[in-house]
Amino acid sequence: MAKYLQLVEQIQAQIDAEIWLPGEKLPSLRDQVSLSGMSLMTVMHAYQVLESQGSIVSRPQSGYYVAPRAEFLSQPVNHQKVQLAEAVDINSFIFDVLQACRDPLIIPFGSAFPDPELFPQRQLMRALNHVSHRLTPGDAINNLPPGNEALRKTLARRYAQQGIAVSPDEIVITNGAMESLSLSLQAVTAPGDWVVVENPTFYGALQAIERLKLKAVAIATDPQHGMDLNELEQALKRWPIKACWLMTSQQNPVGFTLSREKKKALVALLAAHQVALIEDDVYSELYFGADKPLPAKAFDRQGSVLHCSSFSKNLVAGFRVGWVAAGKQAQRIQRLQLMSTLATSAPMQLALANYLSTRSYDSHLRKLRQVLEQRKNLARQSLKRHLPYGAKINDSRGGYFLWIELPGQVNATQLYYRALEHNISIAPGSMFSSGQQYANYFRFNTSWPWDSAQEAAVAILGGLIAAMM
């Protein structure tokens, strides 16, 4: 084992044994050289590794400190377990927030997408160029719903690698995950029906419910464990619910992943009430650690889980290619797609099928997860340095979002407008709920390279929050 890794293990063991407590200063680099007998370069390398892992934080002109322990958010004060919304109206504000992130002068902490520089653009363009020169008149027909056969077979094999039996015939290729989710919702509901969502939830769910004139039952989520299944069961008994739209892994915006046992219980509960589960799983490849979490789809025995995902968050956003493993709803979703967008771009489908036929995708995913984890740790450390006392950061193992709770008197929407004056964007909590319970929360995108501009922007955010307190 390399010497710097030996030192990493030694210091980490001391932190775990509470020889060094959170917030305490570690020996300086030179003091550690004397203590360990290792070179300055070796000690610097070890400290950098510990910092990238989130175990320690550096403070300019001060030194290295043990990082604060992970903070887990509590429920908001006076939190309602269940909220009803017979009419959802949230689209205008979401549009304004997302438009602001398009300005190249804005530091996009409020963006929904990861840093595009993390994607293998050159290889994807090579694949697109390759298939473009080989397109035939028949390709437009061959790639109509349910979509390109080679791409659907590749996706079916990736399900099989997790032990999930999904036939290529169950898979429908869509224009990104939003189309797969919206078509799935449309397939199992009619205007006026009740749909369960999380609270807070991905704003796309609220937009789809608004567009389809549905009613929402928003059930509170625990920041670590997700939705309370007892509350869900009571809601299923009380209202004629037709569908649940849930994120079971790396939930946006909070970040939790449901346990395997909870996913299994969720599927069984919904099956008993004959309610469809629309599983939004777009962040499933962005897990940290050795094992990819199983989706709820793995426990589906009745074909009532519509598992939706895409390549937009882990490979390429611009291609707009997603899919739904739709079970018994596959035929209906194909018909709905033919009546709306007709089909997904044939060249994009062919290019992805070509790229996925190589081993490049899994290699890219491994590197992507590593970079995202490092950047998330750096962002968390910066926020801990600059946010005022009373702010809390929800810890999550995966993805590229942090969910931040501000002291109760600080309104995150007001913070959003003040931050925009400094060319900084955040995603305020009001985007993720039809009520006002998350007015003092915001979502923070950690996927961007961490440099002096990002650090300065976080310092400005901290100053704005302190002024609002």
Side-chain angles (χ1 to χ4, degrees):
M1 181 187 295
K3 285 187 174 182
Y4 77 92
L5 289 177
Q6 293 176 20
L7 186 57
V8 167
E9 286 193 358
Q10 178 185 326
I11 296 174
Q12 186 62 59
Q14 292 171 354
I15 293 171
D16 293 341
E18 298 188 340
I19 295 171
W20 302 104
L21 296 174
E24 287 189 340
K25 187 176 182 180
L26 290 171
S28 69
L29 294 175
R30 295 196 180 278
D31 287 346
Q32 193 64 257
V33 167
S34 300
L35 290 167
S36 66
M38 297 180 183
S39 70
L40 180 61
M41 288 300 296
T42 299
V43 171
M44 287 177 62
H45 197 177
Y47 275 37
Q48 287 167 359
V49 169
L50 286 163
E51 186 174 19
S52 71
Q53 292 174 347
S55 296
I56 67 175
V57 294
S58 62
R59 296 177 184 170
Q61 282 95 42
S62 182
Y64 290 87
Y65 294 78
V66 178
R69 288 197 178 94
E71 295 174 320
F72 294 107
L73 278 59
S74 57
Q75 296 288 7
V77 177
N78 300 322
H79 199 326
Q80 291 176 263
K81 296 270 186 183
V82 178
Q83 280 190 323
L84 301 183
E86 297 206 20
V88 176
D89 182 11
I90 197 169
N91 199 49
S92 297
F93 180 61
I94 292 170
F95 179 81
D96 292 342
V97 174
L98 297 182
Q99 285 294 102
C101 292
R102 297 178 61 186
D103 186 337
L105 297 178
I106 293 287
I107 294 181
F109 295 145
S111 172
F113 289 97
D115 174 11
E117 294 296 326
L118 293 171
F119 295 152
Q121 306 285 357
R122 186 176 301 174
Q123 295 95 316
L124 289 165
M125 290 303 104
R126 190 181 303 128
L128 183 59
N129 184 59
H130 175 81
V131 301
S132 296
H133 286 91
R134 290 163 176 77
L135 280 173
T136 67
D139 283 325
I141 303 299
N142 294 335
N143 291 280
L144 287 173
N148 179 267
E149 184 178 12
L151 182 55
R152 289 185 290 113
K153 285 183 175 179
T154 297
L155 291 170
R157 285 194 291 269
R158 294 189 72 82
Y159 279 110
Q161 289 171 5
Q162 283 196 286
I164 307 170
V166 172
S167 165
D169 294 336
E170 294 179 48
I171 298 173
V172 182
I173 306 300
T174 60
N175 290 291
M178 268 310 302
E179 186 181 44
S180 72
L181 291 157
S182 296
L183 290 176
S184 296
L185 188 60
Q186 193 175 348
V188 298
T189 62
D193 282 344
W194 289 96
V195 178
V196 166
V197 294
E198 297 145 330
N199 193 23
T201 189
F202 166 51
Y203 51 75
L206 300 174
Q207 290 174 305
I209 287 170
E210 178 182 345
R211 183 175 62 82
L212 296 174
K213 296 179 170 56
L214 299 168
K215 302 174 183 178
V217 180
I219 299 179
T221 55
D222 178 87
Q224 287 76 58
H225 307 296
M227 184 177 290
D228 185 333
L229 295 190
N230 291 326
E231 292 293 339
L232 174 59
E233 184 173 15
Q234 293 305 310
L236 293 171
K237 291 176 179 177
R238 187 172 178 183
W239 291 282
I241 290 164
K242 294 297 179 67
C244 288
W245 177 327
L246 307 179
M247 297 187 78
T248 60
S249 296
Q250 328 303 340
Q251 194 261 7
N252 176 13
V254 180
F256 59 77
T257 293
L258 299 185
S259 67
R260 178 190 178 104
E261 294 73 20
K262 196 162 190 175
K263 288 175 183 175
K264 187 176 182 178
L266 169 67
V267 173
L269 174 61
L270 295 179
H273 288 266
Q274 297 183 314
V275 172
L277 172 60
I278 299 167
E279 184 176 18
D280 182 352
D281 205 20
V282 295
Y283 302 102
S284 61
E285 295 289 1
L286 305 183
Y287 59 94
F288 300 161
D291 298 317
K292 180 180 178 180
L294 281 174
K297 180 69 177 175
F299 307 103
D300 181 22
R301 301 295 177 262
Q302 299 183 4
S304 57
V305 177
L306 294 84
H307 182 258
C308 303
S309 193
S310 81
F311 298 101
S312 297
K313 303 299 192 295
N314 58 54
L315 183 61
V316 55
F319 277 25
R320 302 303 304 149
V321 177
W323 73 90
V324 51
K328 59 189 178 184
Q329 297 293 340
Q331 289 289 327
R332 176 157 172 72
I333 287 175
Q334 290 180 50
R335 290 194 293 270
L336 289 169
Q337 188 181 34
L338 281 168
M339 290 188 293
S340 55
T341 56
L342 184 63
T344 306
S345 165
M348 301 308 182
Q349 291 189 65
L350 290 164
L352 278 172
N354 176 274
Y355 176 80
L356 294 174
S357 66
T358 70
R359 296 182 179 179
S360 299
Y361 185 42
D362 285 307
S363 175
H364 157 70
L365 288 176
R366 285 191 293 272
K367 182 179 178 182
L368 176 64
R369 288 191 287 266
Q370 182 182 35
V371 172
L372 287 177
E373 184 172 17
Q374 290 172 348
R375 291 183 179 181
K376 194 171 192 178
N377 284 330
L378 291 172
R380 185 188 294 107
Q381 292 163 26
S382 179
L383 287 161
K384 286 181 180 295
R385 281 194 292 271
H386 296 294
L387 295 189
Y389 179 79
K392 297 179 181 178
I393 305 167
N394 200 44
D395 206 13
S396 58
R397 292 283 300 157
Y400 53 90
F401 294 131
L402 291 172
W403 183 237
I404 298 168
E405 178 185 0
L406 298 173
Q409 70 270 34
V410 180
N411 184 288
T413 301
Q414 294 177 10
L415 174 63
Y416 160 76
Y417 287 115
R418 294 187 187 187
L420 272 186
E421 296 175 1
H422 298 269
N423 291 330
I424 302 165
S425 169
I426 60 169
S430 53
M431 294 176 64
F432 306 97
S433 177
S434 58
Q436 293 299 313
Q437 290 178 314
Y438 295 93
N440 61 312
Y441 291 72
F442 70 93
R443 189 192 68 187
F444 186 97
N445 185 319
T446 67
S447 70
W448 309 96
W450 210 257
D451 56 25
S452 57
Q454 312 284 315
E455 186 77 16
V458 173
I460 290 170
L461 272 180
L464 291 172
I465 295 165
M468 293 173 72
M469 293 170 63

